[in-house]
Amino acid sequence: MKLKCNWSSSSLKTKIRLLFAVILCVSILFSFLFIHYLYRNLYVNEVEQSLLNEGLKLASSYTSGEISDEFKTHLNWYNTISESEILLVNNPRELSACLPFEINHEGLISEEERRNLLRGEHLIKIGYEERFDRQIMGVVVPLLDDNKLVGIIYLYLPLAPIEEVFNRTTPLLIAVGIIFFLVIFKIVNSMSNTILQPIHEMRKYAKELAKGNFKNRIPVRTSDEIGGLSKTFNQMSEALDESDQKKKDFLANVAHELRTPLSYVKGYSEVLQEKLYETEDEAEKYLSLIQRESERMQRLVNDLLDLAQLEGENYPLIKEPIAFSQLVNDTVDRFYHRLQEKQLILQQHLDDEIIIIGSHDRLQQIIYNLLENAIRYSDKPGTISISLTQNQESIFFSIADNGIGMSEEDIMHIGERFYRADKARNRKEGGTGLGLAIVKQLVLLHGGRMEFNSKLGKGTTFTLVFPNELGSNKKGLM
C-alpha cells in the first residue's frame, strides 16, 4: 500500500526514469539469456557435430573382424592431429581405465546405452570434470561386426567456458552496451523533457488562469497528443479570454446604457424636488422625461432578463400549429400609427396557407423586433416589404427596408448584445441594442437560422428560415 502511494505521488519524470530502469534491466536479462542461447546452440552444438563427424569418419575405416593394428595406428595418427582426444577401446567396460581421469565406467555407459550401441547408435555424453574445471563433451561411436560390438571409438573435448567463447567479443559487447545505454538514456531524457515541458507550462498557466489571467498561450512544438493537448489548452484560454472580455463589455454596456437615463431621472427629479421650474408646463415636461427614461430602463432590464432566459440550456418552448400570415398581420397592426408618422409604405406578400409549428408569443416577438428595427432605421418617405413563402423543407420570412443600411463592419456584429449600427439614432429613439440578439436566439430555439443582406445607404433585408415540419410530413405521406 505504501509502495502504491509512493508511486502515485511520484513525479512523471521519476516514473519515466523508473520505467527506463526496468526496460534496461529487462534488456540486460534478455542479453544474458541470449548469450547463453548462442553458447548452447552455436558453440556446444558445433563441438558436438564436429566430434560426431570425426567419430563416424574414423568408424567408416573399420570393415569387419578383429580390430587390426593398421586401424589402431591410423587412429593414433589421427589423434595427434585432432583437437579432440580419441580412444579406441575393445570393451566399453575398460573405458574408465583408458581415460586420464577417474570415472565410473558403469556411470559413463549404462546397460541401456550399451544396447543402443549394439543397435549401431552413437552416444553423446556431457559432464563436469573437476580436474579440468569445466564441462567435458564426449561422443561414443560403436564398431560392429555382424551385430557384435567389437569396440568403440571415444572422442572427448573439454568445452570452453562461456567467458572464453565470447572473450574476443566481450570488449565489443561492453562498448555496444555502454553506447546503447547512453543513447537510450539520452532519448528517454529528451522524450521526458519534450513530454513534460508542455505539462509544466500548462501547470504554470493553469495557475495564471485561476488568477484571471487568460492572455498566456502555450507554444505548440509537436503534432502528437501533447501538441493536441497544448492546442486544446490554448483554445480553452482563448475561450475564457473571449468570455471574460464579453462579460466586461456586457457590464460596461449595461452601465453605459443605464447611466444616461439614470442621470436624466436624477437631474430632473432634483429640479422638481427643489422646485427649480418656472411654470407647471415645464414641470410636466420634466415628469414626462422622467417617465420616458424610466420606461427605457424598464425595457432594458426586461430585454436582459429575456435574453438570459433564452440563452439557458433548458428554456421551455411550448410549440403549436400557428397560421403564420395571421400572426404577421396581427403584429403589423400594432405599428400602424408609427408607419404613418414616418410616412412608410408597407408591402406584404404573404402565403396564407403556411402553418408553422412554434411558440405564438415568441414568433410574434421575432416579427415585432424585426419590424421595429426596420422602422427605426428607415427615413421618411420609405418602403418596408414583408414576404412569407415556403417549400417542402423550409418556411421563409423576410423583412426588407430601403433605409440607411449597414457597413461591412456593422454586418459582422449583427446579433451581438448592445451593438447599434447607428448609435445616435438608436439611443435617441430608445432602442436597447438587444432586439436582434433576442431574435437570433429565438430563431435558433425554433430550429431555424437568420440570414441578412445590407448595403450602406440602400437598406437591409433580414431573412428567417424555419423548418417546414408540416410540409416534410406531407412529402413523407406522398
Side-chain angles (χ1 to χ4, degrees):
M1 185 70 180
K2 185 176 181 181
L3 179 62
K4 182 178 180 181
C5 293
N6 291 338
W7 173 259
S8 61
S9 60
S10 300
S11 66
L12 188 58
K13 193 167 187 177
T14 301
K15 292 177 181 178
I16 292 174
R17 287 179 175 175
L18 286 174
L19 180 61
F20 165 70
V22 171
I23 294 174
L24 184 61
C25 291
V26 172
S27 300
I28 293 174
L29 178 61
F30 173 78
S31 301
F32 176 79
L33 296 175
F34 183 67
I35 289 174
H36 279 74
Y37 170 81
L38 293 177
Y39 176 77
R40 171 63 59 183
N41 289 273
L42 293 182
Y43 172 69
V44 174
N45 287 351
E46 183 180 354
V47 172
E48 177 185 324
Q49 192 63 42
S50 177
L51 290 175
L52 181 59
N53 289 337
E54 285 186 44
L56 294 176
K57 182 178 180 182
L58 292 172
S60 66
S61 300
Y62 170 75
T63 55
S64 62
E66 294 293 332
I67 299 176
S68 64
D69 293 336
E70 183 181 355
F71 183 75
K72 292 178 181 179
T73 303
H74 175 69
L75 257 63
N76 290 332
W77 171 80
Y78 193 85
N79 186 39
T80 60
I81 64 172
S82 175
E83 293 183 359
S84 61
E85 289 295 328
I86 304 172
L87 298 175
L88 176 61
V89 183
N90 294 337
N91 187 350
R93 297 180 184 276
E94 300 174 358
L95 180 59
S96 59
C98 301
L99 293 173
F101 47 88
E102 294 183 1
I103 191 168
N104 183 1
H105 70 275
E106 293 181 354
L108 182 62
I109 299 177
S110 65
E111 290 299 325
E112 177 66 26
E113 291 173 333
R114 182 180 176 84
R115 286 192 290 269
N116 292 338
L117 290 173
L118 287 170
R119 289 193 294 266
E121 298 176 4
H122 62 269
L123 302 178
I124 304 296
K125 310 292 289 185
I126 298 179
Y128 177 74
E129 174 54 43
E130 294 183 0
R131 179 180 174 183
F132 295 101
D133 190 23
R134 62 184 60 193
Q135 296 282 339
I136 300 294
M137 171 172 282
V139 174
V140 181
V141 180
L143 299 175
L144 298 176
D145 182 21
D146 293 335
N147 298 324
K148 178 183 178 181
L149 186 60
V150 177
I152 62 171
I153 299 175
Y154 182 77
L155 302 90
Y156 71 91
L157 183 68
L159 294 175
I162 190 171
E163 307 88 50
E164 294 182 10
V165 175
F166 292 97
N167 185 43
R168 294 182 179 178
T169 59
T170 298
L172 179 61
L173 290 174
I174 294 174
V176 171
I178 293 174
I179 295 173
F180 174 78
F181 173 80
L182 293 176
V183 170
I184 293 298
F185 180 80
K186 185 173 181 62
I187 292 174
V188 171
N189 195 55
S190 176
M191 288 181 63
S192 63
N193 290 333
T194 303
I195 294 172
L196 296 177
Q197 182 64 26
I199 295 177
H200 288 316
E201 291 176 347
M202 289 180 202
R203 185 180 180 184
K204 175 184 175 182
Y205 292 156
K207 292 181 180 179
E208 294 296 320
L209 287 178
K211 296 178 183 178
N213 183 8
F214 308 116
K215 299 296 183 182
N216 292 327
R217 300 292 182 267
I218 298 175
V220 180
R221 302 181 179 90
T222 61
S223 58
D224 55 10
E225 289 81 357
I226 297 296
L229 183 60
S230 300
K231 290 181 181 178
T232 303
F233 189 92
N234 289 338
Q235 291 172 357
M236 180 186 69
S237 299
E238 291 173 2
L240 289 173
D241 188 24
E242 184 179 353
S243 176
D244 183 65
Q245 188 61 44
K246 286 183 178 180
K247 181 182 70 174
K248 292 177 181 178
D249 293 342
F250 174 76
L251 293 175
N253 287 328
V254 171
H256 181 74
E257 293 295 331
L258 290 176
R259 185 181 295 114
T260 301
L262 281 174
S263 62
Y264 276 119
V265 171
K266 183 176 182 297
Y268 291 130
S269 296
E270 290 176 352
V271 170
L272 292 175
Q273 187 177 15
E274 301 293 334
K275 296 183 179 181
L276 299 178
Y277 52 87
E278 295 181 357
T279 64
E280 291 296 326
D281 290 339
E282 187 178 355
E284 289 292 333
K285 178 182 178 182
Y286 294 153
L287 284 172
S288 177
L289 288 172
I290 290 173
Q291 182 179 7
R292 187 190 71 184
E293 296 302 324
S294 299
E295 291 175 351
R296 179 179 170 185
M297 286 190 291
Q298 185 179 21
R299 285 197 304 273
L300 176 62
V301 172
N302 289 337
D303 285 348
L304 284 173
L305 291 174
D306 207 11
L307 188 58
Q309 289 180 342
L310 294 174
E311 290 179 344
E313 295 183 358
N314 298 314
Y315 178 77
L317 197 66
I318 301 174
K319 295 182 178 182
E320 58 182 339
I322 299 170
F324 207 160
S325 61
Q326 184 61 47
L327 184 63
V328 174
N329 289 325
D330 292 343
T331 308
V332 168
D333 289 342
R334 300 169 64 179
F335 291 91
Y336 177 76
H337 294 292
R338 289 189 61 186
L339 291 170
Q340 285 190 328
E341 288 176 3
K342 297 197 70 171
Q343 300 178 12
L344 298 174
I345 299 173
L346 182 64
Q347 298 177 348
Q348 298 186 76
H349 305 280
L350 308 179
D351 186 346
D352 295 333
E353 296 183 358
I354 294 178
I355 303 297
I356 190 172
I357 305 298
S359 169
H360 181 278
D361 293 340
R362 292 305 187 180
L363 286 173
Q364 189 172 53
Q365 187 177 8
I366 291 173
I367 301 169
Y368 184 94
N369 286 356
L370 288 178
L371 189 55
E372 184 180 41
N373 188 78
I375 293 172
R376 180 179 296 120
Y377 288 102
S378 294
D379 292 323
K380 58 181 180 181
T383 302
I384 296 177
S385 300
I386 300 178
S387 172
L388 179 62
T389 59
Q390 69 174 341
N391 59 26
Q392 289 287 349
E393 289 79 22
S394 304
I395 296 173
F396 303 91
F397 174 74
S398 65
I399 293 182
D401 63 71
N402 57 359
I404 63 173
M406 290 181 285
S407 64
E408 292 184 3
E409 181 181 357
D410 292 330
I411 292 175
M412 295 174 60
H413 297 281
I414 287 179
E416 292 184 8
R417 299 172 179 179
F418 297 109
Y419 188 82
R420 298 185 177 95
D422 188 339
K423 298 176 177 57
R425 177 195 296 259
N426 202 300
R427 183 168 284 111
K428 179 181 178 181
E429 297 189 6
T432 64
L434 297 173
L436 291 181
I438 292 174
V439 168
K440 181 180 178 180
Q441 204 63 32
L442 286 173
V443 171
L444 290 175
L445 286 173
H446 280 83
R449 66 181 186 274
M450 182 170 68
E451 300 175 354
F452 40 83
N453 183 30
S454 182
K455 291 185 178 181
L456 196 61
K458 294 186 178 181
T460 303
T461 300
F462 283 94
T463 301
L464 309 183
V465 183
F466 297 98
N468 191 354
E469 299 180 33
L470 295 181
S472 300
N473 291 338
K474 291 179 181 179
K475 182 178 180 181
L477 293 173
M478 292 175 62

